[in-house]
Amino acid sequence: MSNSSNEAPASSRFANSWHEIDWEASHLKVRELQVRIAKAAKQKQWRKVKQLQRMLVHSFSAKAIAIKRVTENRGRKTAGIDGETWDSPKSKWSAMFRLTSKGYKPKPLRRVYIPKANGGRRPLGIPTMLDRAMQALYLLALEPVSETWADRNSYGFRPLRSAVDAIEQLFVNLSRKSSAQWVLEGDIKGCFDNISHDWLIQNVPLDRKIVKKWLKAGYMESGRIHDTDGGTPQGGIISPLLANWALDGLENVLESHFGKKNTKASYKTKVNYVRYADDFVITGISKELLEERVKPVVEAFMAERGLTLSKEKTLVTHIDRGFDFLGQNLRKYNGKFLNKPSAKNLKNVLAKIKDVFVRYKAVPAWLLIAKLNPIIRGWANYHKGGASKETFKYLDYRIWKMLWQWCKRRHSNRQKRWVAKKYFMTVGKRKWVFFGNSPNKGVVNLVYASDTKITRHTKIKGEANPYDPSYELYFEQRLEYVLRNSEMGMRKAFTLWKRQQRRCPCCNQLITPETGWNIHHVIERHQGGSDKLDNLQLLHPNCHRMIHSFDQLYRSSHE
């Protein structure tokens, strides 16, 4: 394997196995190159961008981080068509020497189908581990360019951006009395399946040969290999970024036609754009403006990329009538803008909760609570930035009805009073709190959506770039805000995370939702260690495994 001449010796020269890699030095090396790539991209020095990208994808550090990423995400145990998974330090170390563009040929994706909310099925392609690692490697080189040139109001599949940021931007665009009254709800027909391969190969600032190989790799279904003539392979790590690159630029095109925000021209049209993945909304001062002037501009932009708008689903709607976007209904009621959980979104979460009751008819109460709480808490946290209190109460009511049926079915020969006493108790002012006795945690309660406090979400700055050093402090503060308002913020993990200055004490890198985390006992429990905070650390999963690996080696050498 050839290493970059600029490689940090601590992370490459002295490493002889996976657990000997200096992760702090590796992250610093990759971060330094990514910052340089972003700076060159901002200055449109494309030759320099290409040189720096080549340096990055050939570096030992980037290869290590790419393999670390694909062996720690949720799909790490799911194999591609070759049946291979990298589940041991030895296999990960061996993979380091296979990540090279010379002679590289990606294998077809393994096609599977996942259920959609409307009852249909969505095709998903599963690449091999080697192809995933190669994509993760080149993603490290492409993301700094993408983030530098991305639309300000694009919020899908980007670092520390989310759907609630998109909703909040629409609140900014539509909530005032003087705001636009009409919206164009954009729906791209089969976006991820139809993006032009030729356009991507010619326009994505990355090694064209590699991009072409990924796009043309095909997929295997029912024992046959099928060619792919368009679209990005859904399931690949780099696919969302390729799709974002294809759709980025529309905001600038709209501004060139209708004026930048807060300019005289924009006040006349009030055209504002918000996108999350392939869903977008454009506001305007009138229905005629959106249909006759804005829509043709959008259609021309999409046509260049091999895309078309769906005639049935691309609608122009008045804000008083309202529209659904990302699971929320946005509408003005007598001039007051409110966003609430949409009826379809509420129906979907109730169906998901009902399925839990059906699947876990015979489990103990504490286990049912363990299955329900993440669903209720996650759904309520997503919607807590809007006018959701009444919907939260309705969800609690429907869950209570399901709980009561679940309890009565288990004890059909018992009186209702006995059933109520066994499964429900009073907590504070709230009666009828469903509870169970966990063997590890003691008494556990079912959470109530209506206990979630309604708080307005603080939107990320549109121009913020995680690869611009001037935004370094902003993104660290932003990460704290995101995690404080997530499920982590309600757990012991958040206290540890704050105490450790947001970083893993092993590799000194940030702990984020993307990296994941494990809680480590400094003195192991079998040696008498407690679960108190003083005996706990928050570590990256790989760092956690590394520490235990060293502990096992130490113990075996002293036996």
Side-chain angles (χ1 to χ4, degrees), residues 103-263:
Y104 170 66
K105 185 179 180 181
K107 288 183 169 61
L109 284 72
R110 180 164 69 89
R111 173 64 66 91
V112 297
Y113 291 89
I114 56 175
K116 293 170 67 174
N118 60 7
R121 297 193 306 163
R122 184 191 303 279
L124 187 69
I126 301 175
T128 64
M129 290 299 292
L130 178 61
D131 294 334
R132 278 180 245 177
M134 284 293 284
Q135 289 189 21
L137 176 62
Y138 279 82
L139 179 65
L140 291 170
L142 180 57
E143 193 170 66
V145 186
S146 175
E147 284 298 308
T148 302
W149 286 97
D151 288 341
R152 294 188 310 279
N153 290 302
S154 161
Y155 297 98
F157 307 115
R158 295 182 61 192
L160 288 181
R161 292 178 182 241
S162 64
V164 286
D165 287 310
I167 295 291
E168 190 62 26
Q169 183 60 40
L170 284 172
F171 179 85
V172 172
N173 293 344
L174 294 165
S175 60
R176 300 183 185 91
K177 287 184 179 180
S178 58
S179 296
Q181 298 295 304
W182 292 88
V183 295
L184 171 68
E185 304 170 61
D187 186 274
I188 304 169
K189 189 183 291 184
C191 176
F192 297 103
D193 296 325
N194 295 308
I195 298 174
S196 167
H197 281 182
D198 290 339
W199 190 93
L200 286 172
I201 293 166
Q202 293 298 319
N203 290 279
V204 172
L206 202 62
D207 187 325
R208 290 182 180 180
K209 291 181 181 178
I210 294 289
V211 173
K212 185 176 181 179
K213 286 178 180 180
W214 286 331
L215 296 175
K216 301 296 184 183
Y219 63 92
M220 182 169 283
E221 186 175 19
S222 303
R224 289 180 54 212
I225 296 177
H226 302 262
D227 294 331
T228 46
D229 300 318
T232 58
Q234 293 188 53
I237 287 177
I238 205 168
S239 297
L241 194 146
L242 294 178
N244 265 343
W245 186 266
L247 297 175
D248 278 331
L250 181 54
E251 189 166 22
N252 288 335
V253 170
L254 291 170
E255 287 179 350
S256 68
H257 282 78
F258 306 103
K260 289 188 176 182
K261 194 171 184 180
N262 298 326
T263 62

Side-chain angles (χ1 to χ4, degrees), residues 31 155 159-161 165 457-482 502 510:
R31 175 69 180 175
Y155 297 98
L160 288 181
R161 292 178 182 241
D165 287 310
H457 176 72
T458 302
K459 189 186 78 69
I460 193 170
K461 292 180 180 178
E463 67 280 3
N465 182 352
Y467 299 101
D468 184 341
S470 64
Y471 284 103
E472 189 81 26
L473 178 60
Y474 173 77
F475 273 100
E476 289 210 6
Q477 293 170 340
R478 184 72 193 174
L479 175 61
E480 182 177 334
Y481 171 80
V482 169
R502 316 179 187 96
L510 287 170

Side-chain angles (χ1 to χ4, degrees), residues 468-505:
D468 184 341
S470 64
Y471 284 103
E472 189 81 26
L473 178 60
Y474 173 77
F475 273 100
E476 289 210 6
Q477 293 170 340
R478 184 72 193 174
L479 175 61
E480 182 177 334
Y481 171 80
V482 169
L483 290 182
R484 186 192 296 117
N485 289 280
S486 70
E487 190 177 341
M488 181 191 188
M490 303 176 187
R491 303 203 311 251
K492 188 181 289 184
F494 186 74
T495 305
L496 292 170
W497 185 76
K498 283 280 288 178
R499 191 175 70 179
Q500 296 170 193
Q501 282 89 43
R502 316 179 187 96
R503 295 177 182 272
C504 169

Side-chain angles (χ1 to χ4, degrees), residues 2-16:
S2 61
N3 290 328
S4 168
S5 60
N6 294 331
E7 190 58 44
S11 62
S12 57
R13 190 181 301 169
F14 302 130
N16 295 304

Side-chain angles (χ1 to χ4, degrees), residues 364-492:
W366 68 267
L367 187 54
L368 180 69
I369 291 169
K371 298 296 180 183
L372 289 174
N373 275 355
I375 299 173
I376 299 167
R377 189 181 287 121
W379 187 84
N381 275 340
Y382 178 75
H383 291 288
K384 69 180 181 180
S388 308
K389 205 67 178 179
E390 291 302 316
T391 313
F392 288 173
K393 290 178 180 178
Y394 177 73
L395 181 74
D396 288 342
Y397 165 73
R398 291 291 300 273
I399 293 172
W400 187 90
K401 297 279 281 186
M402 294 182 207
L403 281 171
W404 188 240
Q405 289 299 320
W406 183 86
C407 296
K408 287 199 300 180
R409 178 188 170 279
R410 292 164 68 89
H411 306 284
S412 56
N413 59 338
R414 292 282 190 173
Q415 292 183 348
K416 293 179 181 179
R417 189 183 297 275
W418 183 93
V419 174
K421 188 175 181 181
K422 179 174 176 62
Y423 290 105
F424 297 91
M425 65 180 182
T426 300
V427 178
K429 295 182 179 180
R430 184 181 289 281
K431 298 180 180 179
W432 294 90
V433 176
F434 186 70
F435 75 98
N437 288 294
S438 168
N440 297 323
K441 299 180 180 180
V443 177
V444 291
N445 301 337
L446 185 74
V447 300
Y448 284 78
S450 55
D451 286 342
T452 304
K453 187 178 179 181
I454 302 297
T455 52
R456 196 88 232 168
H457 176 72
T458 302
K459 189 186 78 69
I460 193 170
K461 292 180 180 178
E463 67 280 3
N465 182 352
Y467 299 101
D468 184 341
S470 64
Y471 284 103
E472 189 81 26
L473 178 60
Y474 173 77
F475 273 100
E476 289 210 6
Q477 293 170 340
R478 184 72 193 174
L479 175 61
E480 182 177 334
Y481 171 80
V482 169
L483 290 182
R484 186 192 296 117
N485 289 280
S486 70
E487 190 177 341
M488 181 191 188
M490 303 176 187
R491 303 203 311 251
K492 188 181 289 184

Side-chain angles (χ1 to χ4, degrees), residues 548-559:
H548 281 284
S549 175
F550 286 146
D551 286 345
Q552 288 173 5
L553 285 171
Y554 179 80
R555 283 196 295 269
S556 62
S557 65
H558 285 76
E559 287 177 354

